[in-house]
Amino acid sequence: MTILLFLVPIALMLGLTGLAAFVWSLRAGQYEDLDGAASRVLFDDDVDAQQR
Amino acid sequence: MLMDVDLSGFVREGDDGARRIDFAIDGMTCAACIPEIENALKKIPGVAQARVNYSNSRLALGWKNDELDPAVAVEKLRVMGYVAHPFELAEAESRDAEQARYLMRCLAVAGFAAMNVMLLSVSVWAGNISDITPETRDMFHWVSALIALPAAAFAGRPFFTSALGALRRRSLNMDVPISLGITLALGMSVVETARHAPAAYFDSALMLIFFLLCGRYLEQAMRQRTRAVAGNVAALRSPLATRIAADGALVQTPTARIEAGDLVLVRPGERAPVDGRVVSGASEVDESIVTGETAHRRIGVGDEIYAGVMNFSGALQVRARAAGAGGFLDEIERLLEGAASARSRYVGIAERASKIYAPVVHLTALATAAGWLLLGASVHDAVVTAIAVLIITCPCALALAVPAVHVVTSGALFRSGVLLNGGHAVERLAEVDTIVFDKTGTLTLPEPRVANADEFPADLVEIAARLARSSRHPLARALAQQSPAGAPYDDAREEAGAGVAATVEDVEARVGSAAFCGVDPGDIAASGASTICFRHGAAVAVFEVHQALRPDAVDVLSTLRAQGYSVEIISGDSQAATEAVAKRLGIADWRGGARPSDKVARLETLKAQGRKTLMVGDGFNDAPALAAAYVSLSPVTAADVAQAAADAVFLGDRLAPVRRALEVSRLARKLMRENLTIAVVYNAIAVPLAIAGHVTPLIAAIAMSGSSLIVTLNALRAGRDAVIERADAADRDVRDLRGPTVSDERSGSRSRAAA
């Protein structure tokens, strides 16, 4: 069962990474405009910029 | 006339010269508006940042130092067909947003911890019935403690602070048993782990926090969404006022920035932006939003004028005055003070439940410990059993029962165009048995309409409406409503105080006063209504303009009566005008010519008879009655004071939201009662088990999450049949105010494409 000594900390670290990523995205304001974000992905203004 | 616009009061300065201003945008109908607005603004030299928030129809504009005059951006947007209103984030709204982020952080931590601890707990439960070694189990428990203790200390703060606050005030709220349950569950688990016991409650404590935070967060998010829309509506409603600067220049200033003593110009067709005294000019004004009276009043130099009053015929210069310095205003304020205190005594169903619940639970736990000791159990076993009772009764389902319904209900109301102002409004709406309506602006539309358009040929009315579009006169604007999409004529010219003329199909067309159109005044029927005349060649029309009922008023009122509500009208307008409306709506119980104090007195009488009264009103004069009623609603066009005094505001030209609010509230009350019953039944089953000492952590986890889920799912039924009340085309202007979150045409094409 010594494998648990590795697996439990690894599982916890993975979980904490996810938590940190979520808190970061919250701080960065990524949840401020959910409706807008859903539509923005469809705009192709970046494509225009490359073609120009 | 070109005028300066003064937006400086709304600009916020950041570090190193960064400036920022926020606008509420009217006219965003679909997502394609986002790049259109952002790209157009970014082309303006000096703009550093232009970011649209589509969820709440707002725009943040950033620039450096003095490189940009934000008025340029407003003008650019106006040309594109959007109306941008400068916007100051209300303190309440930013506080709400901060609180929502705080709860979300707590929720994230609780979710992370609950998942990981549950992983370890499931291993222990599985191991306990198979071959886990005590050493491995202890290690799992210690790892759980390592996760659970800091996580609970962080994520449980909303409950701990609230519980401490309640205890300091020497009262009990739902957070007291919650905090006690969490603390005891964690404490006992640590002690049991140290004693190498086979069971610990770390997972139960964290799951409890997680579920309860979900409820808290959703409640906060709903409140925030409502407040954002209400904030936009407030910004869109408060137009720019024309201030006359000391040097005589006209400056467009946001109404909120007008100070007492400023001189303001009110042109015909405009609403007075502030309370004040007329210093020059004479006019007729429509004071229906103040007094409910529809007859126009002549005013001149020295007369009082109130904010919201519509100026009809002449330009007025008004000296703004600090609020509450006049006779009528003072009366309203005095009445408001008296009325507002009664409302705050209402105790919500959730508070009542928690007042009974907390002592009962704590006494039960105490009795359990005492009972086991008397039966000869060890102190350790007795205390562990008592704590198990506290954990299992920790009011997870009960604490979710009412808030979950609140969240779903206010969401359903939001979608049907009702914005809740304060808490408990839903519970009070459900108890209503009497409805008192104001007449002007509530049963009738806030703006007058042409009453006899169908007496004339359609093409004639079309020409008249398009011609009328070129005038700002209120009667002309009512006529222009007859052709909402009609473009004005290019060569239309307005003669001040007379009318508008243009050449249509090679013949001159005129709209305006009888003399201007060459109509014999004798032809105008003396019906008492305001009239506007039209001539196109030989064709002549006399349009009658008066207050029209809301399109569904007759329907809604007969439905309400059929549902058993007792309905009455009480209006500040004349007896005759009130009687006419009451007759058309088939209401026998009406009072006209009522002063604000009469309205309050009537509500007091109804209250003394044991009635629960819903007051629906919009006027300045209704504000005290709105505050005095058991619960109150007002339309979005209402005077600010009235809106502040009302429990909820409804949007649109229709009365249907009033009926809808009552229906949804009744359903909500039914669901709240069901939920409380479910919570009681859960306790009735779980508590005896806990007292008998049969509750293991596994049973606690299943029972607590199960009851919470059942209660939440039951609450969702409140929103299931929420139908978006479809508004007709005439409703569009107001509907735009709601913003895209509630508009049902977001995916549709731009209706403004022609512009």
Side-chain angles (χ1 to χ4, degrees), chain A residues 15 32-35 39-40 43, chain B residues 31 38 52-55 112:
Chain A
E32 304 280 310
D33 180 18
L34 294 175
D35 293 321
S39 308
R40 276 174 199 275
F43 302 151
Chain B
E38 289 182 352
V52 170
N53 184 328
Y54 185 58
S55 304
F112 155 79

Side-chain angles (χ1 to χ4, degrees), chain B residues 242 256 358 474 480 486 547:
Chain B
T242 311
Q547 298 272 331

Side-chain angles (χ1 to χ4, degrees), chain B residues 262-553:
Chain B
D262 281 353
L263 204 54
V264 174
L265 179 69
V266 187
R267 276 166 293 206
E270 288 181 351
R271 288 189 183 277
V274 289
D275 300 322
R277 191 177 291 274
V278 178
V279 291
S280 118
S283 179
E284 278 186 346
V285 290
D286 173 0
E287 291 188 315
S288 60
I289 196 155
V290 175
T291 59
E293 199 162 330
T294 44
H296 299 167
R297 184 166 77 96
R298 289 207 66 85
I299 65 167
V301 175
D303 283 333
E304 299 282 328
I305 187 166
Y306 300 103
V309 164
M310 168 69 82
N311 182 17
F312 256 70
S313 40
L316 296 172
Q317 290 191 12
V318 176
R319 177 81 63 193
R321 181 194 50 193
F328 193 69
L329 289 171
D330 278 350
E331 184 187 346
I332 297 285
E333 264 181 21
R334 193 167 39 74
L335 286 168
L336 262 176
E337 272 169 28
S341 61
R343 180 88 54 85
S344 55
R345 270 182 250 127
Y346 184 84
V347 182
I349 195 165
E351 283 95 3
R352 271 177 284 163
S354 67
K355 280 220 165 61
I356 306 169
Y357 190 81
V360 168
V361 164
H362 297 156
L363 286 177
T364 313
L366 211 62
T368 308
W372 277 101
L373 282 176
L374 285 178
L375 287 174
S378 70
V379 175
H380 169 261
D381 287 353
V383 170
V384 166
T385 317
I387 290 177
V389 170
L390 278 178
I391 294 174
I392 203 89
T393 53
C394 195
C396 194
L398 199 60
L400 282 173
V402 176
V405 177
H406 266 296
V407 170
V408 181
T409 308
S410 40
L413 287 174
F414 184 79
R415 281 193 298 278
S416 26
V418 181
L419 306 180
L420 292 175
N421 254 350
H424 305 320
V426 169
E427 289 165 40
R428 279 181 283 128
L429 271 171
E431 296 174 23
V432 161
D433 53 20
T434 308
I435 309 173
V436 177
F437 282 99
D438 166 48
K439 178 183 77 73
T440 322
T442 305
L443 289 172
T444 65
L445 289 167
E447 307 288 340
R449 294 281 160 98
V450 173
N452 61 341
D454 42 1
E455 291 173 18
F456 307 104
D459 54 336
L460 203 69
V461 176
E462 173 79 18
I463 296 173
R466 287 177 62 188
L467 192 54
R469 187 139 295 229
S470 302
S471 169
R472 286 186 56 85
H473 194 276
L475 293 178
R477 282 210 305 223
L479 180 54
Q481 283 289 318
Q482 293 299 313
S483 166
Y489 293 104
D490 291 337
D491 65 334
R493 55 201 179 278
E494 182 163 16
E495 260 179 56
V500 186
T503 311
V504 181
E505 291 156 14
D506 301 330
V507 186
E508 194 192 46
R510 291 182 158 210
V511 70
S513 67
F516 183 69
C517 299
V519 176
D520 179 9
D523 289 353
I524 299 172
S527 64
S530 307
T531 53
I532 181 165
C533 300
F534 170 67
R535 172 181 290 279
H536 184 224
V540 171
V542 178
F543 295 104
E544 288 181 16
V545 178
H546 46 72
Q547 298 272 331
L549 285 177
R550 287 182 186 262
D552 59 347

Side-chain angles (χ1 to χ4, degrees), chain B residues 571-596:
Chain B
S571 171
D573 204 357
S574 67
Q575 296 282 354
T578 313
E579 185 177 12
V581 166
K583 272 208 175 123
R584 279 193 54 199
L585 294 168
I587 292 174
D589 208 347
W590 58 268
R591 284 164 189 76
R595 309 237 352 126

Side-chain angles (χ1 to χ4, degrees), chain A residues 33-49:
Chain A
D33 180 18
L34 294 175
D35 293 321
S39 308
R40 276 174 199 275
V41 69
L42 300 172
F43 302 151
D44 41 10
D45 43 356
D46 45 348
V47 178
D48 285 354

